PDB file of all heavy atoms in Angstrom:
ATOM      1  N   THR A   1     138.487 -39.911   4.792  1.00 90.00           N
ATOM      2  CA  THR A   1     138.948 -39.631   6.160  1.00 90.00           C
ATOM      3  C   THR A   1     137.799 -39.050   7.023  1.00 90.00           C
ATOM      4  O   THR A   1     137.602 -39.482   8.184  1.00 90.00           O
ATOM      5  CB  THR A   1     140.080 -38.548   6.129  1.00 90.00           C
ATOM      6  OG1 THR A   1     141.154 -39.083   5.290  1.00 90.00           O
ATOM      7  CG2 THR A   1     140.550 -38.178   7.528  1.00 90.00           C
ATOM      8  N   ILE A   2     137.051 -38.184   6.427  1.00 90.00           N
ATOM      9  CA  ILE A   2     135.920 -37.609   7.245  1.00 90.00           C
ATOM     10  C   ILE A   2     134.858 -38.626   7.659  1.00 90.00           C
ATOM     11  O   ILE A   2     134.475 -38.729   8.818  1.00 90.00           O
ATOM     12  CB  ILE A   2     135.231 -36.406   6.507  1.00 90.00           C
ATOM     13  CG1 ILE A   2     136.261 -35.285   6.370  1.00 90.00           C
ATOM     14  CG2 ILE A   2     133.994 -36.018   7.121  1.00 90.00           C
ATOM     15  CD1 ILE A   2     135.656 -34.107   5.582  1.00 90.00           C
ATOM     16  N   GLU A   3     134.427 -39.482   6.702  1.00 91.00           N
ATOM     17  CA  GLU A   3     133.559 -40.513   6.955  1.00 91.00           C
ATOM     18  C   GLU A   3     134.097 -41.522   8.028  1.00 91.00           C
ATOM     19  O   GLU A   3     133.421 -41.931   8.956  1.00 91.00           O
ATOM     20  CB  GLU A   3     133.225 -41.314   5.740  1.00 91.00           C
ATOM     21  CG  GLU A   3     132.204 -40.626   4.881  1.00 91.00           C
ATOM     22  CD  GLU A   3     131.747 -41.494   3.639  1.00 91.00           C
ATOM     23  OE1 GLU A   3     132.329 -42.711   3.542  1.00 91.00           O
ATOM     24  OE2 GLU A   3     130.934 -41.125   2.885  1.00 91.00           O
ATOM     25  N   SER A   4     135.390 -41.815   7.908  1.00 91.00           N
ATOM     26  CA  SER A   4     135.997 -42.713   8.868  1.00 91.00           C
ATOM     27  C   SER A   4     136.044 -42.143  10.264  1.00 91.00           C
ATOM     28  O   SER A   4     135.807 -42.838  11.230  1.00 91.00           O
ATOM     29  CB  SER A   4     137.454 -43.029   8.413  1.00 91.00           C
ATOM     30  OG  SER A   4     137.440 -43.680   7.172  1.00 91.00           O
ATOM     31  N   MET A   5     136.359 -40.868  10.399  1.00 89.00           N
ATOM     32  CA  MET A   5     136.343 -40.220  11.637  1.00 89.00           C
ATOM     33  C   MET A   5     134.989 -40.134  12.264  1.00 89.00           C
ATOM     34  O   MET A   5     134.795 -40.414  13.475  1.00 89.00           O
ATOM     35  CB  MET A   5     136.882 -38.768  11.532  1.00 89.00           C
ATOM     36  CG  MET A   5     138.385 -38.737  11.290  1.00 89.00           C
ATOM     37  SD  MET A   5     139.023 -37.069  11.016  1.00 89.00           S
ATOM     38  CE  MET A   5     138.812 -36.385  12.677  1.00 89.00           C
ATOM     39  N   GLN A   6     133.995 -39.754  11.475  1.00 90.00           N
ATOM     40  CA  GLN A   6     132.608 -39.626  11.997  1.00 90.00           C
ATOM     41  C   GLN A   6     132.118 -41.069  12.414  1.00 90.00           C
ATOM     42  O   GLN A   6     131.424 -41.150  13.453  1.00 90.00           O
ATOM     43  CB  GLN A   6     131.697 -39.097  10.894  1.00 90.00           C
ATOM     44  CG  GLN A   6     131.948 -37.637  10.691  1.00 90.00           C
ATOM     45  CD  GLN A   6     131.086 -37.088   9.578  1.00 90.00           C
ATOM     46  OE1 GLN A   6     130.774 -37.778   8.615  1.00 90.00           O
ATOM     47  NE2 GLN A   6     130.716 -35.752   9.631  1.00 90.00           N
ATOM     48  N   ALA A   7     132.411 -42.020  11.697  1.00 92.00           N
ATOM     49  CA  ALA A   7     131.961 -43.458  12.082  1.00 92.00           C
ATOM     50  C   ALA A   7     132.605 -43.899  13.389  1.00 92.00           C
ATOM     51  O   ALA A   7     131.955 -44.438  14.298  1.00 92.00           O
ATOM     52  CB  ALA A   7     132.261 -44.426  10.937  1.00 92.00           C
ATOM     53  N   GLY A   8     133.914 -43.580  13.499  1.00 92.00           N
ATOM     54  CA  GLY A   8     134.700 -44.006  14.674  1.00 92.00           C
ATOM     55  C   GLY A   8     134.129 -43.274  15.913  1.00 92.00           C
ATOM     56  O   GLY A   8     133.942 -43.851  17.030  1.00 92.00           O
ATOM     57  N   ILE A   9     133.925 -42.002  15.760  1.00 92.00           N
ATOM     58  CA  ILE A   9     133.464 -41.155  16.906  1.00 92.00           C
ATOM     59  C   ILE A   9     132.037 -41.530  17.319  1.00 92.00           C
ATOM     60  O   ILE A   9     131.728 -41.762  18.486  1.00 92.00           O
ATOM     61  CB  ILE A   9     133.458 -39.654  16.553  1.00 92.00           C
ATOM     62  CG1 ILE A   9     134.953 -39.147  16.378  1.00 92.00           C
ATOM     63  CG2 ILE A   9     132.799 -38.802  17.650  1.00 92.00           C
ATOM     64  CD1 ILE A   9     135.063 -37.783  15.760  1.00 92.00           C
ATOM     65  N   TYR A  10     131.135 -41.696  16.338  1.00 92.00           N
ATOM     66  CA  TYR A  10     129.772 -41.940  16.597  1.00 92.00           C
ATOM     67  C   TYR A  10     129.480 -43.325  17.100  1.00 92.00           C
ATOM     68  O   TYR A  10     128.956 -43.534  18.224  1.00 92.00           O
ATOM     69  CB  TYR A  10     128.846 -41.654  15.410  1.00 92.00           C
ATOM     70  CG  TYR A  10     127.416 -41.776  15.589  1.00 92.00           C
ATOM     71  CD1 TYR A  10     126.630 -40.725  16.195  1.00 92.00           C
ATOM     72  CD2 TYR A  10     126.693 -42.907  15.132  1.00 92.00           C
ATOM     73  CE1 TYR A  10     125.329 -40.920  16.405  1.00 92.00           C
ATOM     74  CE2 TYR A  10     125.329 -43.067  15.370  1.00 92.00           C
ATOM     75  CZ  TYR A  10     124.636 -42.043  16.001  1.00 92.00           C
ATOM     76  OH  TYR A  10     123.329 -42.177  16.240  1.00 92.00           O
ATOM     77  N   PHE A  11     129.862 -44.334  16.294  1.00 94.00           N
ATOM     78  CA  PHE A  11     129.534 -45.669  16.701  1.00 94.00           C
ATOM     79  C   PHE A  11     130.426 -46.141  17.821  1.00 94.00           C
ATOM     80  O   PHE A  11     130.035 -47.006  18.685  1.00 94.00           O
ATOM     81  CB  PHE A  11     129.788 -46.641  15.434  1.00 94.00           C
ATOM     82  CG  PHE A  11     128.739 -46.429  14.430  1.00 94.00           C
ATOM     83  CD1 PHE A  11     129.128 -46.046  13.092  1.00 94.00           C
ATOM     84  CD2 PHE A  11     127.373 -46.525  14.661  1.00 94.00           C
ATOM     85  CE1 PHE A  11     128.226 -45.817  12.104  1.00 94.00           C
ATOM     86  CE2 PHE A  11     126.497 -46.316  13.659  1.00 94.00           C
ATOM     87  CZ  PHE A  11     126.908 -45.947  12.321  1.00 94.00           C
ATOM     88  N   GLY A  12     131.642 -45.579  17.902  1.00 94.00           N
ATOM     89  CA  GLY A  12     132.467 -45.899  19.018  1.00 94.00           C
ATOM     90  C   GLY A  12     131.910 -45.407  20.351  1.00 94.00           C
ATOM     91  O   GLY A  12     131.984 -46.105  21.384  1.00 94.00           O
ATOM     92  N   TYR A  13     131.331 -44.188  20.272  1.00 94.00           N
ATOM     93  CA  TYR A  13     130.729 -43.653  21.546  1.00 94.00           C
ATOM     94  C   TYR A  13     129.553 -44.400  21.928  1.00 94.00           C
ATOM     95  O   TYR A  13     129.335 -44.742  23.196  1.00 94.00           O
ATOM     96  CB  TYR A  13     130.342 -42.192  21.286  1.00 94.00           C
ATOM     97  CG  TYR A  13     130.426 -41.386  22.579  1.00 94.00           C
ATOM     98  CD1 TYR A  13     131.561 -40.906  23.150  1.00 94.00           C
ATOM     99  CD2 TYR A  13     129.246 -41.195  23.308  1.00 94.00           C
ATOM    100  CE1 TYR A  13     131.590 -40.248  24.340  1.00 94.00           C
ATOM    101  CE2 TYR A  13     129.225 -40.507  24.460  1.00 94.00           C
ATOM    102  CZ  TYR A  13     130.371 -40.022  25.030  1.00 94.00           C
ATOM    103  OH  TYR A  13     130.426 -39.360  26.251  1.00 94.00           O
ATOM    104  N   ILE A  14     128.676 -44.793  20.958  1.00 95.00           N
ATOM    105  CA  ILE A  14     127.455 -45.585  21.311  1.00 95.00           C
ATOM    106  C   ILE A  14     127.888 -46.900  21.955  1.00 95.00           C
ATOM    107  O   ILE A  14     127.325 -47.330  22.877  1.00 95.00           O
ATOM    108  CB  ILE A  14     126.645 -45.780  20.067  1.00 95.00           C
ATOM    109  CG1 ILE A  14     125.988 -44.480  19.674  1.00 95.00           C
ATOM    110  CG2 ILE A  14     125.533 -46.855  20.344  1.00 95.00           C
ATOM    111  CD1 ILE A  14     125.308 -44.436  18.351  1.00 95.00           C
ATOM    112  N   GLY A  15     128.918 -47.496  21.350  1.00 96.00           N
ATOM    113  CA  GLY A  15     129.409 -48.741  21.968  1.00 96.00           C
ATOM    114  C   GLY A  15     129.873 -48.651  23.363  1.00 96.00           C
ATOM    115  O   GLY A  15     129.627 -49.502  24.210  1.00 96.00           O
ATOM    116  N   MET A  16     130.578 -47.494  23.656  1.00 96.00           N
ATOM    117  CA  MET A  16     130.999 -47.222  24.963  1.00 96.00           C
ATOM    118  C   MET A  16     129.888 -47.084  25.973  1.00 96.00           C
ATOM    119  O   MET A  16     129.892 -47.632  27.073  1.00 96.00           O
ATOM    120  CB  MET A  16     131.947 -46.004  25.025  1.00 96.00           C
ATOM    121  CG  MET A  16     132.441 -45.587  26.340  1.00 96.00           C
ATOM    122  SD  MET A  16     132.930 -43.871  26.566  1.00 96.00           S
ATOM    123  CE  MET A  16     131.346 -43.098  26.613  1.00 96.00           C
ATOM    124  N   VAL A  17     128.915 -46.294  25.559  1.00 97.00           N
ATOM    125  CA  VAL A  17     127.749 -46.060  26.401  1.00 97.00           C
ATOM    126  C   VAL A  17     126.973 -47.303  26.809  1.00 97.00           C
ATOM    127  O   VAL A  17     126.749 -47.605  27.970  1.00 97.00           O
ATOM    128  CB  VAL A  17     126.748 -45.040  25.711  1.00 97.00           C
ATOM    129  CG1 VAL A  17     125.386 -44.943  26.433  1.00 97.00           C
ATOM    130  CG2 VAL A  17     127.434 -43.641  25.707  1.00 97.00           C
ATOM    131  N   ASP A  18     126.668 -48.141  25.771  1.00 97.00           N
ATOM    132  CA  ASP A  18     125.997 -49.330  26.013  1.00 97.00           C
ATOM    133  C   ASP A  18     126.767 -50.343  26.841  1.00 97.00           C
ATOM    134  O   ASP A  18     126.286 -51.126  27.646  1.00 97.00           O
ATOM    135  CB  ASP A  18     125.624 -50.026  24.706  1.00 97.00           C
ATOM    136  CG  ASP A  18     124.337 -49.373  24.086  1.00 97.00           C
ATOM    137  OD1 ASP A  18     123.747 -48.492  24.663  1.00 97.00           O
ATOM    138  OD2 ASP A  18     123.981 -49.736  22.970  1.00 97.00           O
ATOM    139  N   GLU A  19     128.078 -50.391  26.673  1.00 97.00           N
ATOM    140  CA  GLU A  19     128.891 -51.341  27.470  1.00 97.00           C
ATOM    141  C   GLU A  19     129.031 -50.886  28.865  1.00 97.00           C
ATOM    142  O   GLU A  19     128.946 -51.723  29.850  1.00 97.00           O
ATOM    143  CB  GLU A  19     130.326 -51.410  26.863  1.00 97.00           C
ATOM    144  CG  GLU A  19     131.309 -52.257  27.638  1.00 97.00           C
ATOM    145  CD  GLU A  19     130.892 -53.750  27.763  1.00 97.00           C
ATOM    146  OE1 GLU A  19     129.924 -54.194  27.049  1.00 97.00           O
ATOM    147  OE2 GLU A  19     131.498 -54.386  28.545  1.00 97.00           O
ATOM    148  N   ILE A  20     129.101 -49.600  29.179  1.00 97.00           N
ATOM    149  CA  ILE A  20     129.150 -49.107  30.522  1.00 97.00           C
ATOM    150  C   ILE A  20     127.895 -49.419  31.204  1.00 97.00           C
ATOM    151  O   ILE A  20     127.820 -49.907  32.381  1.00 97.00           O
ATOM    152  CB  ILE A  20     129.454 -47.613  30.588  1.00 97.00           C
ATOM    153  CG1 ILE A  20     130.838 -47.277  30.206  1.00 97.00           C
ATOM    154  CG2 ILE A  20     129.147 -47.031  31.905  1.00 97.00           C
ATOM    155  CD1 ILE A  20     131.221 -45.838  30.051  1.00 97.00           C
ATOM    156  N   ILE A  21     126.731 -49.246  30.569  1.00 97.00           N
ATOM    157  CA  ILE A  21     125.418 -49.524  31.127  1.00 97.00           C
ATOM    158  C   ILE A  21     125.289 -51.021  31.444  1.00 97.00           C
ATOM    159  O   ILE A  21     124.864 -51.453  32.476  1.00 97.00           O
ATOM    160  CB  ILE A  21     124.283 -49.103  30.220  1.00 97.00           C
ATOM    161  CG1 ILE A  21     124.232 -47.569  30.081  1.00 97.00           C
ATOM    162  CG2 ILE A  21     122.905 -49.572  30.754  1.00 97.00           C
ATOM    163  CD1 ILE A  21     123.330 -46.989  29.014  1.00 97.00           C
ATOM    164  N   ARG A  22     125.737 -51.826  30.513  1.00 96.00           N
ATOM    165  CA  ARG A  22     125.754 -53.330  30.756  1.00 96.00           C
ATOM    166  C   ARG A  22     126.516 -53.724  31.937  1.00 96.00           C
ATOM    167  O   ARG A  22     126.077 -54.535  32.808  1.00 96.00           O
ATOM    168  CB  ARG A  22     126.286 -53.964  29.461  1.00 96.00           C
ATOM    169  CG  ARG A  22     126.145 -55.554  29.557  1.00 96.00           C
ATOM    170  CD  ARG A  22     127.049 -56.239  28.511  1.00 96.00           C
ATOM    171  NE  ARG A  22     128.458 -56.088  28.806  1.00 96.00           N
ATOM    172  CZ  ARG A  22     129.127 -56.804  29.714  1.00 96.00           C
ATOM    173  NH1 ARG A  22     128.441 -57.746  30.473  1.00 96.00           N
ATOM    174  NH2 ARG A  22     130.371 -56.598  29.910  1.00 96.00           N
ATOM    175  N   ARG A  23     127.636 -53.137  32.051  1.00 96.00           N
ATOM    176  CA  ARG A  23     128.538 -53.499  33.222  1.00 96.00           C
ATOM    177  C   ARG A  23     127.973 -53.018  34.541  1.00 96.00           C
ATOM    178  O   ARG A  23     128.001 -53.677  35.583  1.00 96.00           O
ATOM    179  CB  ARG A  23     129.922 -52.903  33.013  1.00 96.00           C
ATOM    180  CG  ARG A  23     130.758 -53.702  32.029  1.00 96.00           C
ATOM    181  CD  ARG A  23     132.102 -52.993  31.813  1.00 96.00           C
ATOM    182  NE  ARG A  23     132.982 -53.768  30.898  1.00 96.00           N
ATOM    183  CZ  ARG A  23     133.777 -54.754  31.207  1.00 96.00           C
ATOM    184  NH1 ARG A  23     133.961 -55.105  32.520  1.00 96.00           N
ATOM    185  NH2 ARG A  23     134.490 -55.386  30.277  1.00 96.00           N
ATOM    186  N   MET A  24     127.356 -51.840  34.582  1.00 97.00           N
ATOM    187  CA  MET A  24     126.656 -51.355  35.741  1.00 97.00           C
ATOM    188  C   MET A  24     125.511 -52.241  36.127  1.00 97.00           C
ATOM    189  O   MET A  24     125.257 -52.519  37.376  1.00 97.00           O
ATOM    190  CB  MET A  24     126.223 -49.880  35.553  1.00 97.00           C
ATOM    191  CG  MET A  24     127.418 -48.861  35.421  1.00 97.00           C
ATOM    192  SD  MET A  24     126.916 -47.177  35.155  1.00 97.00           S
ATOM    193  CE  MET A  24     126.208 -46.802  36.733  1.00 97.00           C
ATOM    194  N   ILE A  25     124.706 -52.668  35.205  1.00 96.00           N
ATOM    195  CA  ILE A  25     123.563 -53.472  35.525  1.00 96.00           C
ATOM    196  C   ILE A  25     124.065 -54.842  36.032  1.00 96.00           C
ATOM    197  O   ILE A  25     123.550 -55.368  37.040  1.00 96.00           O
ATOM    198  CB  ILE A  25     122.675 -53.698  34.250  1.00 96.00           C
ATOM    199  CG1 ILE A  25     122.000 -52.349  33.792  1.00 96.00           C
ATOM    200  CG2 ILE A  25     121.650 -54.808  34.511  1.00 96.00           C
ATOM    201  CD1 ILE A  25     121.243 -52.449  32.520  1.00 96.00           C
ATOM    202  N   GLU A  26     125.080 -55.375  35.443  1.00 95.00           N
ATOM    203  CA  GLU A  26     125.624 -56.609  35.818  1.00 95.00           C
ATOM    204  C   GLU A  26     126.181 -56.553  37.316  1.00 95.00           C
ATOM    205  O   GLU A  26     125.950 -57.467  38.060  1.00 95.00           O
ATOM    206  CB  GLU A  26     126.805 -57.092  34.887  1.00 95.00           C
ATOM    207  CG  GLU A  26     127.408 -58.426  35.201  1.00 95.00           C
ATOM    208  CD  GLU A  26     128.483 -58.746  34.268  1.00 95.00           C
ATOM    209  OE1 GLU A  26     128.280 -58.648  33.014  1.00 95.00           O
ATOM    210  OE2 GLU A  26     129.538 -59.163  34.684  1.00 95.00           O
ATOM    211  N   GLU A  27     126.900 -55.431  37.560  1.00 95.00           N
ATOM    212  CA  GLU A  27     127.492 -55.324  38.904  1.00 95.00           C
ATOM    213  C   GLU A  27     126.461 -55.042  39.956  1.00 95.00           C
ATOM    214  O   GLU A  27     126.585 -55.389  41.129  1.00 95.00           O
ATOM    215  CB  GLU A  27     128.426 -54.113  38.827  1.00 95.00           C
ATOM    216  CG  GLU A  27     129.338 -53.989  40.048  1.00 95.00           C
ATOM    217  CD  GLU A  27     130.445 -53.015  39.867  1.00 95.00           C
ATOM    218  OE1 GLU A  27     131.117 -52.987  38.780  1.00 95.00           O
ATOM    219  OE2 GLU A  27     130.540 -52.097  40.749  1.00 95.00           O
ATOM    220  N   SER A  28     125.333 -54.457  39.559  1.00 94.00           N
ATOM    221  CA  SER A  28     124.211 -54.202  40.556  1.00 94.00           C
ATOM    222  C   SER A  28     123.524 -55.457  41.010  1.00 94.00           C
ATOM    223  O   SER A  28     122.899 -55.424  42.053  1.00 94.00           O
ATOM    224  CB  SER A  28     123.189 -53.240  39.932  1.00 94.00           C
ATOM    225  OG  SER A  28     122.349 -53.906  38.897  1.00 94.00           O
ATOM    226  N   LYS A  29     123.595 -56.513  40.175  1.00 92.00           N
ATOM    227  CA  LYS A  29     122.914 -57.740  40.494  1.00 92.00           C
ATOM    228  C   LYS A  29     121.397 -57.723  40.519  1.00 92.00           C
ATOM    229  O   LYS A  29     120.771 -58.450  41.169  1.00 92.00           O
ATOM    230  CB  LYS A  29     123.450 -58.429  41.711  1.00 92.00           C
ATOM    231  CG  LYS A  29     124.922 -58.760  41.640  1.00 92.00           C
ATOM    232  CD  LYS A  29     125.413 -59.459  42.902  1.00 92.00           C
ATOM    233  CE  LYS A  29     126.816 -60.004  42.786  1.00 92.00           C
ATOM    234  NZ  LYS A  29     127.813 -58.968  42.458  1.00 92.00           N
ATOM    235  N   GLU A  30     120.881 -56.573  39.843  1.00 91.00           N
ATOM    236  CA  GLU A  30     119.436 -56.411  39.806  1.00 91.00           C
ATOM    237  C   GLU A  30     118.964 -56.865  38.442  1.00 91.00           C
ATOM    238  O   GLU A  30     119.580 -56.670  37.462  1.00 91.00           O
ATOM    239  CB  GLU A  30     119.076 -54.901  39.970  1.00 91.00           C
ATOM    240  CG  GLU A  30     119.359 -54.422  41.411  1.00 91.00           C
ATOM    241  CD  GLU A  30     118.364 -54.800  42.406  1.00 91.00           C
ATOM    242  OE1 GLU A  30     117.361 -55.472  42.066  1.00 91.00           O
ATOM    243  OE2 GLU A  30     118.561 -54.468  43.597  1.00 91.00           O
TER     244      GLU A  30
END
């Protein structure tokens, strides 16, 4: 359970951060 929670929190958060940045760059058209 602990490993599963840590993996979900950590890798899930990194995925969110990178996806938000990708979308912002795409929307900027730069």
Side-chain angles (χ1 to χ4, degrees):
T1 300
I2 291 177
E3 284 186 356
S4 299
M5 290 176 66
Q6 288 176 330
I9 293 166
Y10 184 77
F11 293 120
Y13 205 82
I14 290 169
M16 179 201 74
V17 168
D18 282 353
E19 177 61 13
I20 288 175
I21 294 171
R22 185 195 69 79
R23 286 178 177 270
M24 290 178 71
I25 293 174
E26 181 181 314
E27 193 172 309
S28 74
K29 296 182 172 59
E30 295 283 356

